[in-house]
Amino acid sequence: MGKTFLYTEIQAAVPFEQFDWRPINAALKTAPGLIRKTWLSGIGTRTVGGFYEFDSVQNALAFAQGPFAEEARRAGAPATTRLFDGDIVRDASIDLHSPYYT
């Protein structure tokens, strides 16, 4: 499996306008295998999370179990992570013009 997507969410209400994402982005740019991240901010819940694309399941798991888990612990908040197979959904995603498949 090549293309792997990771969804994360930290269950803490943080208005994104007050969230300092810059140092997190700097650290993310060094994460092995990370291709891109789209930040997410929960409507109504103000939870902070993201949708990531990694080059492999191994790198996505290493990030989810390492840096992301540490960030959630530091925040003292529960977290959610989900891994998705990006290869099996390729044709369906291309049909809907997904920017992740060019």
Side-chain angles (χ1 to χ4, degrees), residues 1-5 84-93 101:
M1 183 183 328
K3 191 178 287 281
T4 302
F5 295 112
F84 298 91
D85 180 341
D87 292 337
I88 200 167
V89 298
R90 179 180 178 76
D91 292 342
S93 297
Y101 300 87

Side-chain angles (χ1 to χ4, degrees), residues 2-84:
K3 191 178 287 281
T4 302
F5 295 112
L6 175 69
Y7 163 79
T8 66
E9 184 177 5
I10 294 180
Q11 310 297 319
V14 179
F16 202 79
E17 308 81 33
Q18 298 170 15
F19 180 71
D20 190 6
W21 52 265
R22 286 170 186 82
I24 296 171
N25 275 11
L28 285 170
K29 290 176 183 177
T30 68
L34 177 65
I35 297 170
R36 70 188 101 225
K37 175 184 180 171
T38 299
W39 280 96
L40 300 173
S41 178
I43 296 172
T45 62
R46 295 186 172 174
T47 56
V48 176
F51 182 71
Y52 307 70
E53 179 184 355
F54 279 88
D55 65 356
S56 69
V57 171
Q58 295 80 10
N59 282 329
L61 277 173
F63 174 78
Q65 295 170 344
F68 177 74
E70 286 299 318
E71 185 65 31
R73 272 193 283 284
R74 274 194 296 277
T80 300
T81 59
R82 302 272 188 266
L83 280 174
F84 298 91

